[in-house]
Amino acid sequence: MANTRYMTPQEERYMYHLLSGDPLIGSFIRNQMRHGAGDPLANLPVCPKCERPSLYHDNGAICPTCGTFAVKEKTHRVKDHIRQGYYR
């Protein structure tokens, strides 16, 4: 039997927050899925300011929604953000 679980209401609100930002992120995710990437959203870095997905750029990450640049050591991936419960 598969190891699955349901999202909590807080996780559901955070997922809506993740996906309601800049359309560039949605375009990036669709493009990655077309080319066979497993779970592109889970591996994107999180913006430390607005908690939305960012894109890797020049040894760091830049958020297309708010424009914040974070060095690689100051950010973590979306899946770690959810697992650790940082969104609460």
Side-chain angles (χ1 to χ4, degrees):
M1 185 166 195
N3 184 11
T4 61
R5 69 175 188 82
Y6 292 99
M7 280 194 273
T8 64
Q10 293 89 358
E11 289 173 333
E12 188 176 345
R13 277 195 307 273
Y14 180 64
M15 288 302 290
Y16 180 74
H17 175 75
L18 280 176
L19 299 173
S20 66
D22 194 278
L24 180 64
I25 294 293
S27 174
F28 175 79
I29 292 169
R30 281 190 301 276
N31 187 32
Q32 292 297 306
M33 293 191 74
R34 272 195 298 262
H35 289 86
D39 191 2
L41 177 63
N43 292 314
L44 289 176
V46 175
C47 173
K49 184 176 179 183
C50 69
E51 293 188 339
R52 287 195 166 101
S54 301
L55 299 172
Y56 289 109
H57 179 71
D58 288 340
N59 200 24
I62 190 161
C63 179
T65 305
C66 69
T68 301
F69 179 80
V71 293
K72 194 172 185 179
E73 295 79 26
K74 298 287 183 182
T75 187
H76 52 278
R77 296 179 299 177
V78 169
K79 67 180 169 185
D80 298 329
H81 197 73
I82 292 172
R83 282 182 187 158
Q84 299 298 325
Y86 293 139
Y87 57 89
R88 294 184 184 139

